[in-house]
Amino acid sequence: MSRIGKKPIPLPNGVEATVASSIVTVKGPKGTVSVPLHPVVTATVSADPKEVTVTVQDPESVEQKALWGLMRQLIANAVQGVQTPFEKSLEFVGVGYKVALAGRTLNVEAGFSHPVPFALPEGIDAKVEKQIVTLTGVDKHLVGEVAAQIRRIRPPEPYKGKGIKYTTETIRRKAGKTAAKGA
């Protein structure tokens, strides 16, 4: 049995979950998230202790145990996201590297000859403070994917440390050619 999968997901006050045709929909004060279920996984919502339980067809199958824990965690992330939205912060490091928010579009200047426009998808909000962009949203997967797409515009490079990086990320710097020259 999956240790993570067999744990029930408690639903706090103000959060509702419904299961319809292998899709779990979680509604809360901050928004709505839908989680599609794998065909071997089923979810049920109980009313007395407000919670969601996830089960699989064969609890001894290795593949189904993995799916069991995955689906349970995806639903738990949805429950957490509709209460307190997820956040990712990106930092622009380098001379002339800046970002500006114009409506639902980020204008990124990252060392190219032109600014790169990046349209924010629905469900993602951005806040810009100097060199830091903070992305927020109720869907953990979508927040992480949008942050990765923005970082992909100009990933940090190890020699000068310039680029777009996560605020929690540290860049391992490399020595340049001059360091090897003196040896």
Side-chain angles (χ1 to χ4, degrees):
M1 298 205 35
S2 171
R3 286 182 290 166
I4 294 173
K6 66 183 178 184
K7 292 181 185 176
I9 305 161
L11 295 174
N13 292 335
V15 176
E16 296 177 5
T18 56
V19 180
S21 67
S22 73
I23 293 177
V24 177
T25 305
V26 181
K27 292 181 184 174
K30 302 292 182 184
T32 303
V33 178
S34 296
V35 179
L37 293 176
H38 194 274
V40 299
V41 180
T42 57
T44 55
V45 180
S46 62
D48 186 13
K50 267 179 76 176
E51 62 187 17
V52 178
T53 53
V54 181
T55 55
V56 291
Q57 294 171 355
D58 181 16
E60 299 304 318
S61 168
V62 174
E63 292 86 9
Q64 289 189 21
K65 276 197 262 187
L67 288 169
W68 192 5
L70 171 71
M71 290 296 142
R72 187 254 180 224
Q73 194 57 44
L74 290 176
I75 296 169
N77 286 343
V79 170
Q80 181 185 350
V82 296
Q83 283 184 291
T84 57
F86 292 102
E87 281 190 2
K88 281 273 190 182
S89 295
L90 295 161
E91 184 177 2
F92 289 70
V93 180
V95 176
Y97 283 44
K98 39 187 170 171
V99 62
L101 184 63
R104 302 267 317 145
T105 304
L106 285 174
N107 291 319
V108 178
E109 293 184 23
F112 297 117
S113 62
H114 52 72
V116 179
F118 185 85
L120 294 171
E122 285 298 317
I124 299 294
D125 295 321
K127 185 173 65 173
V128 177
E129 294 175 356
K130 295 185 181 182
Q131 303 287 80
I132 297 177
V133 175
T134 304
L135 303 169
T136 58
V138 293
D139 189 355
K140 187 174 187 177
H141 172 74
L142 186 61
V143 171
E145 181 62 32
V146 169
Q149 288 174 356
I150 293 171
R151 184 181 181 274
R152 239 178 266 137
I153 293 171
R154 178 72 85 168
E157 54 95 20
Y159 295 101
K160 293 184 181 177
K162 298 184 342 182
I164 303 170
K165 69 178 191 83
Y166 298 112
T167 53
T168 57
E169 181 181 17
T170 56
I171 305 202
R172 296 188 62 194
R173 301 291 300 269
K174 290 184 178 178
K177 294 180 183 178
T178 58
K181 196 176 188 182

